[in-house]
Amino acid sequence: MTEPTLYERLGGAFAIAAVVDHFSDAIVENPVVGQKSENPALREWHTNNLERLPGLKFMRTLWVCSVAGGPQQYAGTKPGATPLGLEEAHRRLAIFPGEFDEVAAELGRTLDFFKVPEREKEEVLAAFAAHKGEVTEGHSA
């Protein structure tokens, strides 16, 4: 018998979507990376582009489902493969490594809120951290 995938251990798409929904709302309110961020691009996005938040939640849910071994596919996980790729989607936001780390911390707090077991939490955070270079690429451009 094979071990369940991370996707299965997280509870599948509906459970992942609930986490992403909470996480996404928390990012908007986060003082470091949200509406009160010192980064003008992040502050502007989280203030003037909230009509795009439902779509972003959908994309984030697809991404987590895909990297967790679910049946969903998110093409933007291959650097340079599409304008929806992580580096292109984040380039104009000029995200600094410390800001990325704060988003990761917010993700950790969200996983704790949902009482995600430590093993699964570590796997989700590791998958997130693996893309730090792509997401922060624009801060030096």
Side-chain angles (χ1 to χ4, degrees):
M1 188 165 147
T2 57
E3 181 178 2
T5 64
L6 176 59
Y7 174 82
E8 294 165 329
R9 289 182 281 130
L10 289 172
F14 292 101
I16 291 169
V19 170
V20 168
D21 183 62
H22 184 277
F23 165 72
S24 297
D25 291 343
I27 291 298
V28 171
E29 299 297 323
N30 184 289
V32 175
V33 296
Q35 291 178 329
K36 296 181 180 174
S37 176
E38 291 182 20
N39 177 327
L42 287 174
R43 186 174 59 246
E44 191 270 332
W45 198 101
H46 288 108
T47 303
N48 299 324
N49 292 301
L50 291 181
E51 75 279 356
R52 295 186 68 199
L53 191 57
L56 181 57
K57 288 178 180 183
F58 174 74
M59 299 298 282
R60 286 175 174 164
T61 300
L62 280 180
W63 181 80
V64 175
C65 288
S66 179
V67 300
Q72 298 81 1
Q73 295 299 309
Y74 179 71
T77 58
K78 296 177 185 162
T82 171
L84 296 175
L86 297 174
E87 75 281 2
E88 290 306 321
H90 294 90
R91 185 181 314 279
R92 69 172 193 79
L93 298 175
I95 297 169
F96 280 86
E99 293 167 334
F100 180 94
D101 294 343
E102 178 59 26
V103 173
E106 194 68 65
L107 178 56
R109 290 188 289 272
T110 298
L111 294 168
D112 289 342
F113 176 83
F114 282 92
K115 298 178 176 41
V116 172
E118 194 63 29
R119 175 182 173 204
E120 285 75 14
K121 176 183 172 182
E122 288 177 16
E123 288 180 49
V124 170
L125 291 173
F128 185 81
H131 295 280
K132 184 174 183 174
E134 296 158 65
V135 172
T136 60
E137 186 176 289
H139 87 279
S140 61

